[in-house]
Amino acid sequence: MAPVLEFAILGLLQEAPMHGYELRKELTAKLGAIRAAISYGSLYPTLRRLQAAGWITEAAETPATAEEVPALTSRRGRVVYTITAEGKERFAQLIAQAGPETYDDTGFGVHFAFFARTDQATRLRILEGRRRKIEERREGLRDVLGRAAERLDAYTLELQRHGLDACEREVRWLEELIANERSGRAPTAPDSRTVGGRGDNDSPPTPGTSRTERP
Amino acid sequence: MAPVLEFAILGLLQEAPMHGYELRKELTAKLGAIRAAISYGSLYPTLRRLQAAGWITEAAETPATAEEVPALTSRRGRVVYTITAEGKERFAQLIAQAGPETYDDTGFGVHFAFFARTDQATRLRILEGRRRKIEERREGLRDVLGRAAERLDAYTLELQRHGLDACEREVRWLEELIANERSGRAPTAPDSRTVGGRGDNDSPPTPGTSRTERP
DNA sequence: CCGCGATGTATCGGGCCGATACATCGAACG
DNA sequence: CGTTCGATGTATCGGCCCGATACATCGCGG
């Protein structure tokens, strides 16, 4: 229902207009933890789809003052994408409705990456939905490791064990984040630095720093 | 080149012939750590593809003695899939050639799940390839956290930090497994239990148990 | 007796990926 | 001074796999 790329592009273009290549770089930097690298084979079709829906507009890059180097080398046209008012509305709507697909690995990851543009109540709802989902996966793995252990070989069991470990770790991570949200603090900030970002939007104020255990 | 499902199905059908529903259950149990649940929308097309290629055969389930309840309720035909000699050959070939796609998350996971049918040299090669890939991802995340930290908000940074942590943890896990392989032992076996499995195949002997640190 | 969950087969639309092709530009190297 | 090489940049194609959906049987409990 809410493809990952659509959400991410609408979120990124609210920072600044960009052309495809730049968009891919920013996307890769922002989602590097959950996605290897966004393919052009999905980026460009998505951009066309967004433009058809009216969420973004595309415009060929114009020379700065329209009199500078008019036909020297005739720059290869870079297409710059800009988000529209309807696009911003669409993004807000996608944030508001948190369906089951919001809690799978990539869905949660991309939503989390734009938590700075998400209100606290929704943040909390998503974190708890994700925790529930991971807890279910954890129980499934425990079942397999308990009941069906003798049917599986040592390597498969080791894989389940590693997966179970990752689940338990993520649950703990989520608990920490949830506790932080409840107390109205921002996530663990290793050094004191108030997030700059000239607020062009209704993004939350991202309150002061805090500290968990790991420095 | 080597789709995940094709590999997993060929591997599973070497244990026993199965029908679709059963196959999905086994698949989900075996790959539960890396995949939520295999969809029929990919399972059945893949089965048809495998049959067209000659790797498997499909046969309608026959009543046991051909005289028992011939037309009582006319059982809904369950289709049983059986691997062929060419299928086993294909599986061995897929194991032998470890391309770059073998080292991404799902590719590695499914290969690892069938390590009991993989020779030790290939196991070692795959583990090291995976480690290299994870190390690269880790370096990428460190770069972002170091150089581009001030450009990103606190939530995005926290996501990267969590991803980095997962990378470091997996590298350590892989190191342990590699060390175990080098010393000729099986993966961490919490209680002494020799893997049963009547060897119908050229699968390695799965040597005796060992113990790392975590009991 | 009726619904409900487990078993069971199957299709359809669509997102996303990997490979590929093609073009420009600045810098490095011979 | 020419050439190669990597970064920048746009775009398409085939294919894997998923989520939703439809339909049918069986046993069990209400």
Side-chain angles (χ1 to χ4, degrees), chain B residues 130-144:
Chain B
R130 173 65 174 178
R131 181 183 55 176
R132 180 181 174 81
K133 177 132 182 177
I134 297 296
E135 282 171 345
E136 283 168 9
R137 183 190 298 178
R138 184 188 62 186
E139 295 315 310
L141 287 173
R142 280 188 183 152
D143 276 10
V144 172

Side-chain angles (χ1 to χ4, degrees), chain A:
Chain A
M1 264 307 196
V4 173
L5 261 192
E6 171 180 334
F7 186 87
I9 289 172
L10 290 178
L12 260 190
L13 286 186
Q14 286 187 61
E15 318 264 339
M18 294 179 193
H19 56 267
Y21 190 83
E22 206 177 349
L23 207 40
R24 186 185 121 117
K25 264 203 318 185
E26 294 297 313
L27 237 29
T28 302
K30 190 141 190 151
L31 306 179
I34 52 171
R35 273 285 224 284
I38 273 65
S39 165
Y40 289 119
S42 40
L43 178 59
Y44 284 115
T46 302
L47 285 171
R48 232 170 294 122
R49 192 158 47 89
L50 293 183
Q51 204 244 352
W55 316 130
I56 65 174
T57 61
E58 49 184 81
E61 201 180 38
T62 53
T65 55
E67 54 141 338
E68 194 168 3
V69 280
L72 189 80
T73 47
S74 73
R75 287 283 301 274
R76 163 69 171 271
R78 292 197 296 182
V79 182
V80 176
Y81 302 92
T82 310
I83 194 168
T84 65
E86 293 90 340
K88 292 185 183 179
E89 209 174 317
R90 167 70 171 167
F91 182 74
Q93 176 198 334
L94 286 178
I95 281 185
Q97 43 160 265
E101 83 280 3
T102 313
Y103 306 132
D104 72 24
D105 295 80
T106 68
F108 168 75
V110 78
H111 267 85
F112 189 89
F114 288 97
F115 260 18
R117 294 187 174 274
T118 308
D119 62 293
Q120 200 207 26
T122 306
R123 289 201 295 258
L124 213 39
R125 198 155 48 91
I126 291 177
L127 288 172
E128 283 165 347
R130 172 65 175 179
R131 182 184 54 178
R132 180 180 173 81
K133 176 129 183 179
I134 297 295
E135 282 171 345
E136 283 168 9
R137 183 189 298 177
R138 185 189 60 188
E139 295 315 310
L141 287 173
R142 280 188 182 150
D143 276 11
V144 171
L145 280 170
R147 278 196 260 286
E150 54 276 1
R151 293 201 311 109
L152 300 171
D153 62 284
Y155 286 106
T156 304
L157 288 177
E158 179 59 30
L159 185 61
Q160 315 272 347
R161 231 172 285 136
H162 183 245
L164 177 58
D165 193 63
C167 283
E168 288 167 346
R169 196 164 302 278
E170 180 161 354
V171 168
R172 255 173 286 151
W173 182 63
L174 290 167
E175 302 277 15
E176 218 173 279
L177 290 168
I178 289 171
N180 265 357
E181 287 295 338
R182 287 234 172 81
S183 68
R185 283 171 296 168
T188 76
D191 57 344
S192 57
R193 181 196 310 284
T194 47
V195 180
R198 63 281 180 270
D200 56 64
N201 193 279
D202 57 352
S203 61
T206 323
T209 66
S210 76
R211 180 177 303 272
T212 53
E213 54 199 53
R214 236 189 310 279

